[in-house]
Amino acid sequence: MQIIDLSLPIDEKAFEVHHVEIERVSHKDGVKKFNRVIMGKTLKGKLQYLLGKRILKKEDLPDEEFLSLEVVHSPVHIGTHLDYSFHYGSKSEGRPSKTAEEIPLEWCYCDGVKLTLTHKKPNEVITAKDLEEALKKIQYTLKPRDIVLLHTGADKFYGTPQYFSEYPGIDVSAIDYLLDRGIKIFGVDTMGIDQPYKSMLKEFLEEKKPLYPSHFYGRKREFIHIERLAHLENIPDTGFKVICFPIKIKGTGAAWARVTAILEK
């Protein structure tokens, strides 16, 4: 068995539109933080701490080190993640939208299919016809619950401003094509399923075209999609399983996931 990582990290050093911060408390600084937190529970303890009193000294610990601690401040749309209907709107198919912790887990471990669409240019859209042609090339017929991964190659720009502008979007016709064939989850190696924001905003202002049409389509038809996949060039077109279990965060429209492909040798 071979496990291939298809995920991007949450990285505070990578270029992002939204603020990402990872507070890192080192093993050495952990001693100081422990004392500050424990003694800060009461006013008396705070005063004693400010006057130099310590419950724990570094000499009390092996190698004079405490436990490390990392605190992540990040939107749920950073790193590889699954979007569900609550992200798209308050209702989907006329019912209250579902949040990410409600994603059925049985949908998150299924046969995978990779469709290569690297010929699509930035700001173009991937249509139903594109999917149909890609399936013909690999001689595959979709079956219900296949997890379809759309390979554009845009992940090569991750960490740079180009990651937010150099990729194709997904046309609503392509979403219909997948849903009509029983697909519950599809994924992209781009930062989103709509066209890049700058292009989309320009068309909205100049031509009155709708903003985020593919995301908002989730109000009409319920679907789940994975954003920010990576390394799809390392997997075959078929013959693998996809695992994409979402982190169980309460009441969110998206959740981080460590997406992997499982190849049986």
Side-chain angles (χ1 to χ4, degrees):
M1 182 178 71
Q2 183 181 8
I3 300 177
I4 299 177
D5 189 3
L6 305 179
S7 305
L8 288 175
I10 298 170
D11 183 357
E12 79 272 35
K13 295 181 180 179
F15 179 88
E16 292 287 356
V17 173
H18 297 287
H19 177 69
V20 179
E21 179 185 351
I22 303 179
E23 177 189 351
R24 300 177 187 273
V25 181
S26 70
H27 301 95
K28 298 292 185 183
D29 292 337
V31 180
K32 184 188 297 184
K33 184 177 180 68
F34 177 84
N35 285 318
R36 185 174 68 251
V37 171
I38 296 300
M39 298 188 72
K41 299 293 184 181
T42 64
L43 178 59
K44 180 181 178 182
K46 287 180 182 179
L47 292 173
Q48 289 179 323
Y49 178 77
L50 291 173
L51 292 172
K53 184 177 179 180
R54 300 292 185 269
I55 295 174
L56 183 69
K57 297 179 180 179
K58 63 182 182 179
E59 293 81 8
D60 298 326
L61 299 168
D63 303 317
E64 298 187 351
E65 292 185 346
F66 196 60
L67 307 173
S68 71
L69 175 66
E70 295 76 40
V71 182
V72 179
H73 306 272
S74 169
V76 290
H77 296 275
I78 303 297
T80 304
H81 61 276
L82 278 68
D83 284 0
Y84 204 12
S85 57
F86 186 74
H87 179 50
Y88 314 138
S90 61
K91 290 185 177 181
S92 178
E93 299 184 355
R95 302 183 298 271
S97 292
K98 296 173 183 175
T99 50
E101 81 272 17
E102 297 178 282
I103 292 174
L105 297 183
E106 60 269 23
W107 294 355
C108 299
Y109 179 52
C110 295
D111 290 336
V113 182
K114 181 183 77 171
L115 300 183
T116 299
L117 298 151
T118 51
H119 63 284
K120 300 298 290 188
K121 297 177 182 178
N123 300 314
E124 291 184 342
V125 289
I126 295 167
T127 65
K129 184 179 179 182
D130 292 319
L131 300 187
E132 194 169 37
E133 290 175 352
L135 284 163
K136 284 182 180 177
K137 285 183 180 179
I138 63 174
Q139 299 181 329
Y140 186 83
T141 300
L142 293 176
K143 64 182 185 298
R145 294 196 184 181
D146 279 345
I147 297 177
V148 180
L149 309 180
L150 306 183
H151 178 212
T152 73
D155 60 304
K156 64 179 177 289
F157 295 117
Y158 172 70
T160 73
Q162 289 94 326
Y163 186 63
F164 295 87
S165 61
E166 302 297 309
Y167 66 89
I170 309 297
D171 189 69
V172 167
S173 68
I175 297 175
D176 273 334
Y177 185 91
L178 296 173
L179 300 185
D180 289 347
R181 286 154 180 79
I183 303 305
K184 299 296 186 182
I185 299 176
F186 68 90
V188 294
D189 59 1
T190 60
M191 64 79 58
I193 59 172
D194 284 289
Q195 288 174 281
Y197 178 73
K198 188 178 291 186
S199 172
M200 186 170 49
L201 183 60
K202 183 175 185 294
E203 291 183 354
F204 170 74
L205 294 174
E206 295 179 359
E207 305 173 42
K208 298 302 179 184
K209 289 189 176 181
L211 288 171
Y212 297 100
S214 296
H215 273 84
F216 288 148
Y217 194 61
R219 300 179 183 183
K220 182 177 181 180
R221 299 190 71 180
E222 186 179 281
F223 65 87
I224 302 162
H225 76 273
I226 312 168
E227 292 181 342
R228 297 189 173 215
L229 290 166
H231 318 306
L232 295 183
E233 69 276 6
N234 294 333
I235 59 175
D237 298 323
T238 59
F240 61 95
K241 294 277 189 182
V242 173
I243 296 178
C244 57
F245 296 120
I247 298 297
K248 198 170 186 178
I249 311 172
K250 190 71 175 177
T252 60
W256 302 304
R258 185 70 176 267
V259 183
T260 59
I262 310 296
L263 281 66
E264 295 292 343
K265 289 188 176 181

mmCIF file of all heavy atoms in Angstrom, residues 9-32:
data_model
loop_
_atom_site.group_PDB
_atom_site.id
_atom_site.type_symbol
_atom_site.label_atom_id
_atom_site.label_comp_id
_atom_site.label_asym_id
_atom_site.label_seq_id
_atom_site.Cartn_x
_atom_site.Cartn_y
_atom_site.Cartn_z
ATOM 1 N N PRO A 9 -0.264 22.692 3.621
ATOM 2 C CA PRO A 9 -0.229 22.990 5.056
ATOM 3 C C PRO A 9 -0.899 24.315 5.395
ATOM 4 O O PRO A 9 -1.226 25.113 4.519
ATOM 5 C CB PRO A 9 1.278 23.083 5.329
ATOM 6 C CG PRO A 9 1.824 23.662 4.056
ATOM 7 C CD PRO A 9 1.008 23.025 2.948
ATOM 8 N N ILE A 10 -1.099 24.529 6.676
ATOM 9 C CA ILE A 10 -1.396 25.864 7.196
ATOM 10 C C ILE A 10 -0.040 26.457 7.570
ATOM 11 O O ILE A 10 0.622 25.987 8.493
ATOM 12 C CB ILE A 10 -2.330 25.795 8.410
ATOM 13 C CG1 ILE A 10 -3.674 25.176 8.009
ATOM 14 C CG2 ILE A 10 -2.538 27.172 9.020
ATOM 15 C CD1 ILE A 10 -4.574 24.852 9.173
ATOM 16 N N ASP A 11 0.374 27.464 6.816
ATOM 17 C CA ASP A 11 1.742 27.984 6.925
ATOM 18 C C ASP A 11 1.699 29.502 7.044
ATOM 19 O O ASP A 11 1.287 30.196 6.115
ATOM 20 C CB ASP A 11 2.534 27.567 5.683
ATOM 21 C CG ASP A 11 3.994 27.995 5.729
ATOM 22 O OD1 ASP A 11 4.392 28.677 6.699
ATOM 23 O OD2 ASP A 11 4.732 27.661 4.791
ATOM 24 N N GLU A 12 2.106 30.005 8.187
ATOM 25 C CA GLU A 12 2.038 31.451 8.399
ATOM 26 C C GLU A 12 3.060 32.218 7.562
ATOM 27 O O GLU A 12 2.981 33.442 7.430
ATOM 28 C CB GLU A 12 2.215 31.780 9.894
ATOM 29 C CG GLU A 12 3.640 31.751 10.412
ATOM 30 C CD GLU A 12 4.091 30.384 10.884
ATOM 31 O OE1 GLU A 12 3.682 29.372 10.285
ATOM 32 O OE2 GLU A 12 4.869 30.333 11.856
ATOM 33 N N LYS A 13 4.016 31.507 6.952
ATOM 34 C CA LYS A 13 5.028 32.172 6.133
ATOM 35 C C LYS A 13 4.644 32.232 4.654
ATOM 36 O O LYS A 13 5.297 32.920 3.880
ATOM 37 C CB LYS A 13 6.370 31.459 6.304
ATOM 38 C CG LYS A 13 6.928 31.561 7.716
ATOM 39 C CD LYS A 13 8.269 30.864 7.839
ATOM 40 C CE LYS A 13 8.803 30.976 9.268
ATOM 41 N NZ LYS A 13 10.108 30.270 9.420
ATOM 42 N N ALA A 14 3.605 31.503 4.271
ATOM 43 C CA ALA A 14 3.156 31.517 2.880
ATOM 44 C C ALA A 14 2.305 32.754 2.624
ATOM 45 O O ALA A 14 1.634 33.259 3.535
ATOM 46 C CB ALA A 14 2.349 30.257 2.570
ATOM 47 N N PHE A 15 2.313 33.237 1.391
ATOM 48 C CA PHE A 15 1.477 34.391 1.040
ATOM 49 C C PHE A 15 0.011 33.999 1.139
ATOM 50 O O PHE A 15 -0.424 33.011 0.561
ATOM 51 C CB PHE A 15 1.787 34.867 -0.389
ATOM 52 C CG PHE A 15 0.952 36.031 -0.818
ATOM 53 C CD1 PHE A 15 1.354 37.327 -0.564
ATOM 54 C CD2 PHE A 15 -0.263 35.832 -1.466
ATOM 55 C CE1 PHE A 15 0.582 38.420 -0.947
ATOM 56 C CE2 PHE A 15 -1.054 36.908 -1.859
ATOM 57 C CZ PHE A 15 -0.630 38.203 -1.599
ATOM 58 N N GLU A 16 -0.764 34.781 1.887
ATOM 59 C CA GLU A 16 -2.198 34.535 2.040
ATOM 60 C C GLU A 16 -2.937 35.869 2.012
ATOM 61 O O GLU A 16 -2.392 36.909 2.404
ATOM 62 C CB GLU A 16 -2.506 33.824 3.366
ATOM 63 C CG GLU A 16 -2.000 32.396 3.451
ATOM 64 C CD GLU A 16 -2.817 31.414 2.605
ATOM 65 O OE1 GLU A 16 -3.836 31.851 2.016
ATOM 66 O OE2 GLU A 16 -2.433 30.250 2.534
ATOM 67 N N VAL A 17 -4.177 35.841 1.563
ATOM 68 C CA VAL A 17 -5.021 37.029 1.591
ATOM 69 C C VAL A 17 -5.516 37.291 3.006
ATOM 70 O O VAL A 17 -5.554 38.435 3.473
ATOM 71 C CB VAL A 17 -6.204 36.880 0.620
ATOM 72 C CG1 VAL A 17 -7.166 38.045 0.773
ATOM 73 C CG2 VAL A 17 -5.703 36.794 -0.820
ATOM 74 N N HIS A 18 -5.894 36.229 3.710
ATOM 75 C CA HIS A 18 -6.353 36.354 5.096
ATOM 76 C C HIS A 18 -5.179 36.206 6.057
ATOM 77 O O HIS A 18 -4.178 35.543 5.754
ATOM 78 C CB HIS A 18 -7.413 35.295 5.401
ATOM 79 C CG HIS A 18 -8.655 35.432 4.570
ATOM 80 N ND1 HIS A 18 -9.561 36.433 4.776
ATOM 81 C CD2 HIS A 18 -9.125 34.692 3.534
ATOM 82 C CE1 HIS A 18 -10.554 36.318 3.906
ATOM 83 N NE2 HIS A 18 -10.315 35.269 3.143
ATOM 84 N N HIS A 19 -5.334 36.808 7.214
ATOM 85 C CA HIS A 19 -4.276 36.765 8.216
ATOM 86 C C HIS A 19 -4.157 35.360 8.813
ATOM 87 O O HIS A 19 -5.154 34.750 9.209
ATOM 88 C CB HIS A 19 -4.562 37.770 9.333
ATOM 89 C CG HIS A 19 -3.549 37.740 10.426
ATOM 90 N ND1 HIS A 19 -2.249 38.177 10.261
ATOM 91 C CD2 HIS A 19 -3.636 37.303 11.713
ATOM 92 C CE1 HIS A 19 -1.585 38.012 11.391
ATOM 93 N NE2 HIS A 19 -2.397 37.490 12.290
ATOM 94 N N VAL A 20 -2.944 34.862 8.854
ATOM 95 C CA VAL A 20 -2.647 33.573 9.487
ATOM 96 C C VAL A 20 -1.501 33.780 10.468
ATOM 97 O O VAL A 20 -0.486 34.387 10.132
ATOM 98 C CB VAL A 20 -2.242 32.511 8.441
ATOM 99 C CG1 VAL A 20 -1.905 31.185 9.139
ATOM 100 C CG2 VAL A 20 -3.335 32.307 7.413
ATOM 101 N N GLU A 21 -1.691 33.290 11.657
ATOM 102 C CA GLU A 21 -0.643 33.421 12.664
ATOM 103 C C GLU A 21 -0.545 32.132 13.468
ATOM 104 O O GLU A 21 -1.574 31.562 13.850
ATOM 105 C CB GLU A 21 -0.944 34.593 13.597
ATOM 106 C CG GLU A 21 0.090 34.799 14.693
ATOM 107 C CD GLU A 21 -0.294 35.897 15.670
ATOM 108 O OE1 GLU A 21 -1.278 36.613 15.399
ATOM 109 O OE2 GLU A 21 0.379 36.025 16.705
ATOM 110 N N ILE A 22 0.666 31.686 13.681
ATOM 111 C CA ILE A 22 0.888 30.538 14.556
ATOM 112 C C ILE A 22 1.785 30.999 15.706
ATOM 113 O O ILE A 22 2.955 31.325 15.509
ATOM 114 C CB ILE A 22 1.530 29.352 13.810
ATOM 115 C CG1 ILE A 22 0.663 28.944 12.609
ATOM 116 C CG2 ILE A 22 1.712 28.162 14.767
ATOM 117 C CD1 ILE A 22 1.228 27.800 11.791
ATOM 118 N N GLU A 23 1.199 31.064 16.880
ATOM 119 C CA GLU A 23 1.959 31.432 18.077
ATOM 120 C C GLU A 23 2.713 30.193 18.534
ATOM 121 O O GLU A 23 2.108 29.165 18.848
ATOM 122 C CB GLU A 23 1.007 31.918 19.164
ATOM 123 C CG GLU A 23 1.682 32.256 20.480
ATOM 124 C CD GLU A 23 0.690 32.534 21.586
ATOM 125 O OE1 GLU A 23 -0.523 32.623 21.301
ATOM 126 O OE2 GLU A 23 1.133 32.630 22.751
ATOM 127 N N ARG A 24 4.014 30.296 18.560
ATOM 128 C CA ARG A 24 4.853 29.128 18.883
ATOM 129 C C ARG A 24 5.582 29.374 20.199
ATOM 130 O O ARG A 24 6.409 30.283 20.303
ATOM 131 C CB ARG A 24 5.853 28.874 17.759
ATOM 132 C CG ARG A 24 5.183 28.591 16.412
ATOM 133 C CD ARG A 24 6.199 28.403 15.293
ATOM 134 N NE ARG A 24 5.543 28.293 13.996
ATOM 135 C CZ ARG A 24 5.092 27.165 13.472
ATOM 136 N NH1 ARG A 24 5.224 26.027 14.155
ATOM 137 N NH2 ARG A 24 4.518 27.149 12.280
ATOM 138 N N VAL A 25 5.264 28.559 21.181
ATOM 139 C CA VAL A 25 5.924 28.630 22.483
ATOM 140 C C VAL A 25 6.955 27.516 22.529
ATOM 141 O O VAL A 25 6.610 26.334 22.486
ATOM 142 C CB VAL A 25 4.913 28.488 23.639
ATOM 143 C CG1 VAL A 25 5.631 28.603 24.980
ATOM 144 C CG2 VAL A 25 3.822 29.538 23.525
ATOM 145 N N SER A 26 8.213 27.892 22.603
ATOM 146 C CA SER A 26 9.290 26.905 22.567
ATOM 147 C C SER A 26 9.374 26.118 23.877
ATOM 148 O O SER A 26 8.732 26.465 24.873
ATOM 149 C CB SER A 26 10.627 27.601 22.308
ATOM 150 O OG SER A 26 11.011 28.366 23.448
ATOM 151 N N HIS A 27 10.190 25.078 23.876
ATOM 152 C CA HIS A 27 10.385 24.278 25.085
ATOM 153 C C HIS A 27 10.968 25.130 26.217
ATOM 154 O O HIS A 27 10.588 24.981 27.380
ATOM 155 C CB HIS A 27 11.320 23.099 24.799
ATOM 156 C CG HIS A 27 10.823 22.196 23.719
ATOM 157 N ND1 HIS A 27 11.213 22.314 22.410
ATOM 158 C CD2 HIS A 27 9.939 21.163 23.756
ATOM 159 C CE1 HIS A 27 10.612 21.401 21.681
ATOM 160 N NE2 HIS A 27 9.828 20.687 22.474
ATOM 161 N N LYS A 28 11.862 26.038 25.850
ATOM 162 C CA LYS A 28 12.459 26.897 26.875
ATOM 163 C C LYS A 28 11.448 27.903 27.400
ATOM 164 O O LYS A 28 11.323 28.127 28.603
ATOM 165 C CB LYS A 28 13.672 27.636 26.292
ATOM 166 C CG LYS A 28 14.807 26.738 25.833
ATOM 167 C CD LYS A 28 15.492 26.031 26.993
ATOM 168 C CE LYS A 28 16.703 25.244 26.513
ATOM 169 N NZ LYS A 28 17.347 24.486 27.631
ATOM 170 N N ASP A 29 10.689 28.526 26.486
ATOM 171 C CA ASP A 29 9.705 29.528 26.895
ATOM 172 C C ASP A 29 8.497 28.907 27.578
ATOM 173 O O ASP A 29 7.736 29.609 28.250
ATOM 174 C CB ASP A 29 9.232 30.326 25.669
ATOM 175 C CG ASP A 29 10.331 31.209 25.104
ATOM 176 O OD1 ASP A 29 11.261 31.543 25.855
ATOM 177 O OD2 ASP A 29 10.256 31.554 23.901
ATOM 178 N N GLY A 30 8.318 27.605 27.404
ATOM 179 C CA GLY A 30 7.186 26.929 28.014
ATOM 180 C C GLY A 30 7.190 27.005 29.525
ATOM 181 O O GLY A 30 6.125 27.044 30.162
ATOM 182 N N VAL A 31 8.367 27.053 30.126
ATOM 183 C CA VAL A 31 8.479 27.165 31.577
ATOM 184 C C VAL A 31 7.885 28.495 32.033
ATOM 185 O O VAL A 31 7.093 28.565 32.986
ATOM 186 C CB VAL A 31 9.953 27.061 32.022
ATOM 187 C CG1 VAL A 31 10.055 27.192 33.539
ATOM 188 C CG2 VAL A 31 10.566 25.754 31.553
ATOM 189 N N LYS A 32 8.251 29.563 31.334
ATOM 190 C CA LYS A 32 7.756 30.894 31.671
ATOM 191 C C LYS A 32 6.240 30.974 31.469
ATOM 192 O O LYS A 32 5.524 31.522 32.310
ATOM 193 C CB LYS A 32 8.455 31.933 30.801
ATOM 194 C CG LYS A 32 8.083 33.369 31.126
ATOM 195 C CD LYS A 32 8.665 34.342 30.106
ATOM 196 C CE LYS A 32 10.187 34.297 30.127
ATOM 197 N NZ LYS A 32 10.754 35.315 29.199
#
